[in-house]
Amino acid sequence: MSNIVIINGPNLNLLGIREKGIYGDRDFLTYFETLRQSYGDVMLTYFQSNHEGAIIDKIHEVGFSADGIVLNAGAYTHTSLAIADAIAAVTAPVVEVHISNVYSRESFRHHSYLAKNCKGVICGFGLDGYRLAVESLLAK
Ligand code: DQA
């Protein structure tokens, strides 16, 4: 059974409440439950933290045993060399996801420190981006 871990970073605990015009009105846990049900043969787990170090700890914890990590690091995408190094350190492939199309937004969102260490980047497809990332990890 494949083991895929979804990690969400800062402020993504407020999906469904936060800036609905950008991020939509669905909360992540409801979406995650639907995703989990549609992948009955995949061990899908979810972790969210607003803290950079906790995200790094989680990447270390699962990054040598999971088959893949889906990571939306939120604003840390644009700032965190430490998360970039954590991705490089582990063996599991990481797919970077953004709900919004970061390229249609402020220029400071156009750069990712993480992307070069990731298998790929999916952005602009709303919450469906997480499903697309899972598909890409299952396809290997
Ligand atoms: C985001 C885009 C980031 O620029 C932003 O800081 C977020 C969410 C997205 O999913 O679209 O918090 O990662």
Side-chain angles (χ1 to χ4, degrees):
M1 186 186 253
S2 295
N3 171 8
I4 294 179
V5 182
I6 298 178
I7 301 177
N8 271 345
N11 301 304
L12 293 165
N13 54 312
L14 294 183
L15 287 174
I17 298 167
R18 160 193 197 203
E19 299 180 276
K20 292 183 187 180
I22 298 173
Y23 300 113
D25 56 11
R26 288 157 86 194
D27 72 276
F28 194 80
L29 284 176
T30 307
Y31 169 77
F32 177 68
E33 203 39 53
T34 316
L35 192 67
R36 228 162 52 88
Q37 278 168 22
S38 56
Y39 286 97
D41 53 348
V42 177
M43 197 165 98
L44 263 184
T45 52
Y46 171 58
F47 174 80
Q48 188 276 331
S49 177
N50 295 318
H51 303 276
E52 189 174 19
I55 294 166
I56 292 166
D57 286 345
K58 192 67 185 181
I59 292 170
H60 293 177
E61 180 193 320
V62 302
F64 295 95
S65 54
D67 296 298
I69 296 173
V70 177
L71 174 64
N72 184 347
Y76 286 141
T77 306
H78 319 299
T79 63
S80 181
L81 277 170
I83 295 178
D85 283 352
I87 295 168
V90 299
T91 51
V94 177
V95 176
E96 177 178 326
V97 167
H98 301 287
I99 297 162
S100 65
N101 179 355
V102 287
Y103 299 102
S104 68
R105 302 181 63 194
E106 303 96 323
S107 59
F108 61 81
R109 295 185 203 276
H110 297 180
H111 179 255
S112 165
Y113 280 101
L114 316 184
K116 76 173 178 56
N117 297 338
C118 291
K119 183 184 180 196
V121 180
I122 295 169
C123 83
F125 296 100
L127 291 180
D128 196 41
Y130 292 90
R131 181 189 64 79
L132 295 168
V134 169
E135 282 295 324
S136 79
L137 288 166
L138 291 175
K140 302 240 169 166

